[in-house]
């Protein structure tokens, strides 16, 4: 069996592997965020689940998801800025 070690990879292969891992982590994070957002907004907005959402529930879910995304972007932006500041100090 061929064992894969970091010494056996070229710099390009290492870079490609890191890029692939970053993409997979980003996809997993997006899926988790969508799942949590859906769960939280459903619990908040859908009082009596049925076969469809009425207008009020649809508007509530849409607004909730918008607020959730706005908050997520604000936290992400703030976190990235903090990481950058700490990186710049090194």
């Amino acid at each position: 069996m061929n064992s894969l070690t970091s010494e056996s990879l070229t710099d390009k292969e290492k870079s490609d592997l890191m890029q692939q891992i970053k993409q997979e982590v980003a996809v997993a994070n997006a899926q988790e965020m969508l799942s949590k957002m859906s769960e939280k907004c459903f619990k908040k907005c859908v009082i009596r689940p049925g076969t469809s959402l009425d207008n009020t529930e649809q508007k509530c879910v849409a607004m909730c998801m918008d607020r959730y995304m706005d908050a997520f972007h604000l936290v992400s932006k703030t976190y990235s800025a903090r990481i950058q500041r700490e990186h710049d100090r090194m």
Side-chain angles (χ1 to χ4, degrees), residues 7 10 22 26 50 53 79 84 88:
E7 292 84 27
T10 66
K22 286 179 184 179
L53 299 176
Y79 181 71
Q84 186 62 46
D88 291 345

Side-chain angles (χ1 to χ4, degrees), residues 46-83:
V46 182
I47 308 303
R48 287 172 284 211
T51 57
S52 63
L53 299 176
D54 65 26
N55 276 348
T56 304
E57 292 169 329
Q58 288 178 19
K59 288 178 186 175
C60 179
V61 169
M63 293 291 291
C64 177
M65 293 178 107
D66 286 345
R67 285 192 304 271
Y68 197 97
M69 290 297 293
D70 289 344
F72 178 81
H73 287 298
L74 177 63
V75 169
S76 295
K77 184 177 171 182
T78 303
Y79 181 71
S80 293
R82 181 176 178 186
I83 294 293

Side-chain angles (χ1 to χ4, degrees), residues 33-47:
M33 183 191 69
L34 183 59
S35 176
K36 284 186 178 193
M37 179 174 55
S38 298
E39 179 184 337
K40 290 181 183 297
C41 292
F42 185 85
K43 283 182 181 179
K44 178 184 184 322
C45 298
V46 182
I47 308 303

Side-chain angles (χ1 to χ4, degrees), residues 1-13:
M1 179 154 61
N2 189 0
S3 174
L4 186 64
T5 64
S6 63
E7 292 84 27
S8 67
L9 297 175
T10 66
D11 286 343
K12 169 112 173 70
E13 289 170 329

